[in-house]
Amino acid sequence: MDLLFLSFLFFLLVSSSSAAVVSYDGRAITIDGEHRILLSGSIHYPRSTVEMWPDLIKKSKEGGLDVIDTYVFWNIHEPRRRQYDFTGNNDLIRFLKTIQDQGLYVVLRIGPYVCAEWNYGGFPVWLHNLPGIEFRTVNDVFMDEMKNFTTLIVDMVKQENLFASQGGPVIIAQIENEYGNVMSPYGDAGKAYIEWCANMAVSQNIGVPWIMCQQSDAPQPMINTCNGWYCDQFTPNNPNSPKMWTENWTGWFSWGGKDPLRTVEDLAYAVARFFQNGGTFQNYYMYHGGTNFGRTAGGPYIITSYDYDAPIDEFGNLKQPKWGHLKELHAVLHSIEKPLTEGNITNIDLGNSLAATIFATPEVSSCFLANNNKSSDATVTFQGNTFKVPAWSVSILPDCKTEAYNTAKVNTQTSVMVNKPNQSEDQPASLNWKWRPEKIDDTVHHGKGQMSARGLLDQKAAASDESDYLWYMLRVNLKKKDPIWCENMTIRVNGSGHILHTFVNGEHVGSQWAKYGVFNFVFEKNTKFKPGKNQIALLSATVGYQNYGPMFDTIRSGVVGSVEIIGRIGDETITKDLSGHKWSYKVGLHGYDHKLFEPDSALASKWKSGDLPTNKMVTWYKTTFKAPLGSDPVVVDLLGLGKGEAWVNGRSIGRYWPSYIAEDGCSTDACDYRGPYDNNKCVFNCGNPTQRWYHVPRSFLEDDENTLVLFEEFGGNPFLVNFRTTVVGTVCANAYEKSTLNISCQGRPISAIKFASFGAAEGTCGSFEKGVCEGSKDAVSILEEFCVGAECCSIEVTEDIFGKTNCDSSVTKRLAVEAVC
């Protein structure tokens, strides 16, 4: 993640004509002699579309960011050795120039290992199959390939003059990624590898600093940085290095997992604490997460959505209040940039988990008041003034006298998003489906493959990254006099596919899949074999190759063995191990080979119109639809389907799996922002599909007729499928007295004020109630006059406007509003 240091009054302009000198002195990053605190947000270019980039970057800048952070994805740029792709969504240079056009800087995380919940951590799978290779250690084969790709990226960026030393936007680059988390098993070779990485990076001569995140022993001149939920206690390994937080995690993900919510109060608290404790650079991971289109999601079992509960959601909408509350924080931090980077620092322990920090220059002093208590609010007397500081919050006083911002006092609206029906046609009734079965006779009956090998191959070795699917096929001759022959025989398969479909003699015996986090499993089912030749066909399906951990590249996928026939005769169990036999292999499926997902497929005329089957495994479905009216983001509802992949006009919108239900463990209590956050806190959606709605970028759609194709692996019902638009349905806001209420329907008019009260309103969005005290004027009428009919409105929250209240002096008065869009 990157840094922010822009406010509305102070925009950093990146000039293409003059080079910028980027340096650091332990206290701050310096650009052209000026000390900066940098606020950044991660946006990964392949997870959105080219058409979305300008709007996403504009919203990031409006949110107060100075920098956009992005990984560079080796596997999409070099899908085959020495064959490169920098087109379309993969156009890294265009992405960097789009950022430059908005006047923002870039942190370029070349890696080239990126993790990123991306397939195989961003490594191209062909690397795995190079003779003699070992990943991320002192290995000549790996280091030659890594250096080749790193140099390729550096040279491309240099050629376009995009490093700051050339007048471009790239102010920082990263080599390797989170290696320190997994380094121990590599031993001395790991230490030597990190030294090599540093030397190789320096030899690229890019004229801007290099970083290594989560690498406490990063060799100079590498700057080691922190990733995590909180990094305020992080200290770099060199006193001359700036304190940098490259990943401030805004949320979480996974198939079978619950929906995460990291509250904006906690996220803002983490950021404010970081800068209170000497931070220089902070990056949100993610600021916009986007979508894992195609088969890019890794993990395994990373979902198609990469929304990450980020300030800009998967579809490009502002996620409120997260975006707005952080924007206010960024503006305050930028307003005190000089004392933060140049002032003398005084830390004061006020007791009971309270702390004050003063940043003082000869001209101005700015202060932070932190209440790190997890439950108790505090009244703090500081420099002759009294401040109410809620638990688990930080107040920022730009002049050490007046509170300009508190992380727990959210004045920004909450936007409740809704999915509106497609108004261009009556869906799902208007969708006329066609279908065709996946052709599997050649594999399940005849065992026809593309290659053969003795023993069971790792799916990475056999299929590389050409497909999620690999057939393992074997013909076994069983005689009645065979010791194993009996009436009670089973087939047992040790799998790590992560999904296995088993066929014997053309009949589907059964399917099984791993649960998230435990990807090895044993499949065993009673099976009817016949005397003579028996055809075994195992279809292994992966859901993203492993992308993290020590030696993750060596973790086997597919049918890892053993495969056995088990006979049980009375108390005796006899095992026939088939693992070492000569197996045949076929990569992929017939429909993929013939591109059934493309509108102009050669087999387009062979779709069937009648007797549409449902709940039938390995089946293809196709329909046409009209694009929803307007310009709002489009989603498709795939509830009722099992598992598979979806294409719109031939472009994959990713894997789907709505039959995977989120696990138990959700709390029915309201989410409390107070206290440390992790991915098990504030989780929702138990008992519902992990993901139901899938992003269809507007750029994928045609004005007239569009085609949707589904490959259904498990079996499902397409009759419920429909397209919708995602928009703001209602907005709620809590604006404290002497602040400004701002509400917006993000491009649509405010149609009604459902609730408004100035005083001590209770409840949350959707369930507001009047409290024990209230202003003397009718708040609903005032808001109706100011706001109804407008796309957005602003109003000062004062007793002059809403009338005097009879509230007790201990009440923090606020205006609570719920508006309908």
Side-chain angles (χ1 to χ4, degrees):
M1 303 221 167
D2 293 317
L3 345 158
L4 314 161
F5 56 81
L6 282 181
S7 69
F8 281 115
L9 299 178
F10 180 67
F11 292 114
L12 295 175
L13 299 178
V14 182
S15 169
S16 60
S17 59
S18 60
V21 177
V22 182
S23 61
Y24 54 91
D25 60 6
R27 180 72 181 277
I29 293 173
T30 303
I31 301 177
D32 282 344
E34 293 189 32
H35 294 103
R36 306 292 191 195
I37 61 165
L38 296 176
L39 294 164
S40 168
S42 288
I43 300 176
H44 296 158
Y45 51 96
R47 283 186 164 125
S48 55
T49 63
V50 171
E51 294 76 12
M52 292 177 70
W53 294 348
D55 184 60
L56 292 171
I57 294 165
K58 178 175 180 286
K59 288 173 178 174
S60 301
K61 181 175 180 177
E62 290 173 351
L65 297 192
D66 308 303
V67 183
I68 301 297
D69 175 296
T70 188
Y71 283 130
V72 179
F73 295 81
W74 189 355
N75 59 351
I76 66 165
H77 293 309
E78 194 176 358
R80 293 176 179 80
R81 191 167 185 263
R82 304 301 183 263
Q83 296 180 29
Y84 302 108
D85 182 3
F86 290 91
T87 63
N89 287 10
N90 301 344
D91 193 340
L92 171 64
I93 298 302
R94 180 174 175 180
F95 183 69
L96 300 181
K97 288 182 176 180
T98 304
I99 296 169
Q100 183 179 32
D101 290 343
Q102 293 280 357
L104 299 182
Y105 289 123
V106 176
V107 170
L108 190 65
R109 300 176 74 177
I110 299 173
Y113 166 72
V114 298
C115 183
E117 293 70 52
W118 192 262
N119 191 43
Y120 214 37
F123 285 144
V125 179
W126 56 257
L127 272 179
H128 175 80
N129 298 322
L130 292 180
I133 196 166
E134 293 180 73
F135 287 20
R136 304 178 83 189
T137 188
V138 177
N139 174 272
D140 288 341
V141 180
F142 176 76
M143 292 189 299
D144 285 348
E145 296 297 331
M146 176 176 169
K147 183 177 181 179
N148 179 77
F149 181 74
T150 302
T151 303
L152 171 76
I153 298 301
V154 167
D155 287 348
M156 288 178 62
V157 177
K158 279 184 178 179
Q159 186 174 353
E160 298 294 330
N161 296 317
L162 292 174
F163 286 109
S165 55
Q166 303 171 292
V170 180
I171 58 171
I172 295 170
Q174 179 176 310
I175 196 71
E176 249 299 342
N177 186 51
E178 295 186 328
Y179 189 71
N181 293 350
V182 300
M183 181 175 170
S184 179
Y186 295 90
D188 290 341
K191 297 178 181 178
Y193 167 66
I194 282 298
E195 290 283 349
W196 174 84
C197 287
N199 291 332
M200 187 268 285
V202 170
S203 72
Q204 300 289 330
N205 191 30
I206 62 176
V208 301
W210 287 93
I211 59 174
M212 284 183 172
C213 70
Q214 297 294 90
Q215 193 66 46
S216 60
D217 61 349
Q220 294 299 302
M222 302 294 107
I223 304 170
N224 70 307
T225 70
C226 179
N227 292 352
W229 306 111
Y230 307 94
C231 283
D232 51 284
Q233 298 303 309
F234 165 74
T235 302
N237 65 6
N238 186 300
N240 293 322
S241 294
K243 180 171 177 170
M244 299 178 64
W245 188 0
T246 34
E247 292 189 13
N248 180 357
W249 302 329
T250 60
W252 217 247
F253 40 78
S254 77
W255 289 119
K258 302 170 281 281
D259 278 355
L261 169 65
R262 188 178 186 190
T263 66
V264 70
E265 293 95 332
D266 178 69
L267 186 57
Y269 167 79
V271 175
R273 283 284 293 156
F274 177 72
F275 284 103
Q276 181 178 3
N277 284 277
T280 292
F281 169 104
Q282 187 273 157
N283 178 69
Y284 296 103
Y285 193 97
M286 301 289 297
Y287 198 73
H288 164 75
T291 305
N292 290 311
F293 298 116
R295 300 170 43 252
T296 56
Y301 281 29
I302 300 303
I303 62 176
T304 300
S305 170
Y306 202 65
D307 183 85
Y308 227 109
D309 198 27
I312 301 175
D313 74 13
E314 177 181 2
F315 318 112
N317 296 310
L318 302 183
K319 186 173 292 180
Q320 297 283 34
K322 190 166 280 188
W323 183 87
H325 191 51
L326 294 175
K327 172 185 174 180
E328 294 177 3
L329 171 60
H330 304 156
V332 172
L333 289 171
H334 284 125
S335 74
I336 59 173
E337 186 172 58
K338 187 174 181 66
L340 285 180
T341 58
E342 299 179 10
N344 294 322
I345 304 173
T346 303
N347 293 304
I348 305 170
D349 185 349
L350 302 175
N352 195 28
S353 298
L354 298 168
T357 304
I358 304 171
F359 295 86
T361 68
E363 298 81 21
V364 66
S365 293
S366 298
C367 297
F368 290 72
L369 298 178
N371 181 358
N372 302 314
N373 195 293
K374 301 174 186 177
S375 58
S376 299
D377 298 345
T379 300
V380 179
T381 300
F382 178 73
Q383 294 190 354
N385 295 302
T386 300
F387 303 93
K388 294 179 181 178
V389 186
W392 204 253
S393 78
V394 176
S395 291
I396 303 177
L397 290 58
D399 59 0
C400 289
K401 298 176 182 178
T402 305
E403 178 187 285
Y405 183 90
N406 177 271
T407 60
K409 299 174 184 178
V410 180
N411 290 309
T412 301
Q413 73 177 43
T414 295
S415 296
V416 180
M417 308 303 294
V418 296
N419 293 326
K420 292 179 56 181
N422 186 353
Q423 296 178 344
S424 63
E425 59 183 347
D426 182 21
Q427 295 182 3
S430 62
L431 300 182
N432 295 313
W433 289 95
K434 297 180 180 180
W435 71 283
R436 58 174 294 147
E438 166 63 22
K439 184 178 178 182
I440 60 174
D441 285 352
D442 284 349
T443 50
V444 301
H445 287 290
H446 306 299
K448 292 183 179 179
Q450 302 154 327
M451 58 184 170
S452 61
R454 188 163 296 279
L456 298 167
L457 298 179
D458 183 344
Q459 191 158 340
K460 293 191 297 296
S464 189
D465 196 24
E466 299 301 317
S467 174
D468 282 351
Y469 300 100
L470 177 67
W471 288 96
Y472 293 71
M473 295 165 289
L474 179 68
R475 185 164 293 178
V476 181
N477 195 14
L478 294 176
K479 298 180 180 179
K480 285 190 174 181
K481 64 181 181 179
D482 194 308
I484 200 172
W485 187 266
C486 62
E487 292 298 319
N488 183 15
M489 287 192 288
T490 64
I491 185 169
R492 179 190 292 167
V493 182
N494 286 270
S496 180
H498 314 96
I499 296 159
L500 180 72
H501 304 289
T502 302
F503 300 83
V504 175
N505 296 326
E507 297 295 322
H508 178 231
V509 176
S511 300
Q512 189 168 327
W513 47 91
K515 297 298 182 183
Y516 178 72
V518 183
F519 299 109
N520 294 317
F521 61 90
V522 177
F523 170 90
E524 185 169 0
K525 286 290 177 87
N526 286 318
T527 306
K528 189 174 182 179
F529 291 96
K530 63 184 181 181
K533 294 179 180 178
N534 292 266
Q535 181 66 45
I536 297 173
L538 308 174
L539 178 58
S540 171
T542 55
V543 189
Y545 288 133
Q546 188 79 25
N547 68 262
Y548 182 76
M551 288 87 170
F552 74 85
D553 55 294
T554 65
I555 297 173
R556 290 171 61 86
S557 295
V559 179
V560 298
S562 57
V563 177
E564 302 162 321
I565 299 175
I566 313 294
R568 293 177 175 85
I569 307 172
D571 294 335
E572 185 178 8
T573 300
I574 302 171
T575 300
K576 187 179 190 71
D577 192 343
L578 309 175
S579 307
H581 289 218
K582 190 174 183 179
W583 291 77
S584 294
Y585 295 89
K586 181 183 185 304
V587 176
L589 296 170
H590 180 270
Y592 280 80
D593 294 342
H594 290 84
K595 299 184 182 344
L596 292 182
F597 46 82
E598 292 188 351
D600 57 353
S601 165
L603 301 181
S605 63
K606 306 223 174 151
W607 291 85
K608 301 179 182 182
S609 297
D611 299 322
L612 189 83
T614 59
N615 301 314
K616 179 179 174 60
M617 67 182 298
V618 289
T619 303
W620 293 82
Y621 298 100
K622 181 170 76 169
T623 190
T624 58
F625 66 96
K626 293 181 180 178
L629 302 177
S631 58
D632 294 316
V634 177
V635 294
V636 59
D637 182 3
L638 299 184
L639 187 66
L641 296 177
K643 175 190 175 290
E645 189 171 354
W647 295 262
V648 171
N649 296 329
R651 303 178 71 172
S652 175
I653 61 171
R655 301 183 184 102
Y656 65 80
W657 199 349
S659 63
Y660 207 136
I661 303 303
E663 58 194 356
D664 294 333
C666 294
S667 173
T668 57
D669 298 332
C671 182
D672 189 345
Y673 70 86
R674 298 174 298 179
Y677 179 81
D678 64 34
N679 55 300
N680 297 307
K681 179 181 179 181
C682 296
V683 289
F684 306 92
N685 199 44
C686 289
N688 294 312
T690 302
Q691 186 177 350
R692 172 180 174 179
W693 305 94
Y694 295 79
H695 184 203
V696 183
R698 284 277 180 181
S699 60
F700 286 17
L701 298 174
E702 304 293 341
D703 292 336
D704 46 12
E705 188 174 83
N706 296 273
T707 301
L708 170 67
V709 175
L710 308 172
F711 170 64
E712 178 53 61
E713 179 185 334
F714 284 6
N717 182 0
F719 286 115
L720 299 177
V721 170
N722 65 98
F723 290 83
R724 300 197 171 204
T725 54
T726 180
V727 299
V728 180
T730 60
V731 297
C732 296
N734 287 290
Y736 291 88
E737 187 178 20
K738 298 181 181 179
S739 66
T740 301
L741 174 86
N742 296 292
I743 57 175
S744 170
C745 283
Q746 296 184 29
R748 300 169 63 226
I750 300 167
S751 62
I753 303 298
K754 190 174 181 180
F755 178 91
S757 175
F758 173 62
E762 299 176 347
T764 58
C765 187
S767 60
F768 282 137
E769 295 180 354
K770 293 184 178 182
V772 295
C773 60
E774 190 172 18
S776 59
K777 297 180 182 179
D778 182 11
V780 171
S781 298
I782 295 171
L783 268 294
E784 285 176 339
E785 181 180 351
F786 266 84
C787 301
V788 171
E791 183 271 327
C792 59
C793 66
S794 300
I795 189 169
E796 297 298 316
V797 182
T798 64
E799 287 190 341
D800 289 342
I801 293 177
F802 291 96
K804 291 191 176 296
T805 71
N806 57 349
C807 297
D808 186 86
S809 60
S810 63
V811 172
T812 302
K813 289 173 283 190
R814 64 191 178 101
L815 173 63
V817 178
E818 181 175 354
V820 180
C821 295

